[in-house]
Amino acid sequence: MANKWDERKKAQEEEYFVKKERELLAKMKAKQEDEAKEAAKKASYMKCPKCGDSLKERSFQKILIDQCVACHGIWLDAGELEEVAEKEGGSWLGKFWQKNA
Ligand SMILES: [Zn+2]
């Protein structure tokens, strides 16, 4: 009888460790996937959509913009164009934005 009890206990313990191991593996996998996603996001964020070269952060009118080091194209994040346009209400940029809003 004692043997049967021990076997059951052992099986429960094994089940517990298998479960823990599975949880750990799932956590590790999720972490790896997150890191890969983050790296892919960063890689695409840092590249010029026009020529594929690197973008460098610059400050323009106190707004952070991304400028390509090769073709000097300027990339604005969502909301940044509105900010520039607001500051430059009377300029071509302000008019351009109002027309397209
Ligand atoms: Zn470029």
Side-chain angles (χ1 to χ4, degrees):
M1 279 302 166
N3 264 351
K4 220 172 186 181
W5 173 250
D6 279 349
E7 265 172 43
R8 222 174 111 188
K9 208 178 149 203
K10 215 177 143 191
Q12 275 177 343
E13 265 173 23
E14 262 167 32
E15 205 180 300
Y16 172 80
F17 283 117
V18 166
K19 209 179 143 197
K20 278 275 159 206
E21 212 173 88
R22 235 182 253 151
E23 277 174 12
L24 200 73
L25 276 171
K27 246 185 224 169
M28 271 167 66
K29 211 181 150 200
K31 202 180 159 213
Q32 276 176 348
E33 276 170 8
D34 273 358
E35 278 170 4
K37 243 187 250 170
E38 207 54 45
K41 218 166 94 184
K42 226 175 197 172
S44 64
Y45 168 70
M46 295 305 287
K47 297 291 170 209
C48 174
K50 198 174 161 194
C51 72
D53 220 304
S54 304
L55 294 177
K56 213 176 157 187
E57 258 188 358
R58 287 186 49 180
S59 151
F60 169 71
Q61 308 252 333
K62 287 183 187 160
I63 292 162
L64 271 183
I65 57 165
D66 298 302
Q67 186 165 35
C68 176
V69 294
C71 73
H72 301 119
I74 286 172
W75 193 250
L76 289 159
D77 289 336
E80 286 178 343
L81 183 60
E82 287 98 318
E83 266 188 68
V84 180
E86 254 170 51
K87 281 179 203 235
E88 302 288 307
S91 71
W92 68 266
L93 184 59
K95 284 178 192 137
F96 172 81
W97 181 249
Q98 277 155 25
K99 236 169 110 180
N100 284 277

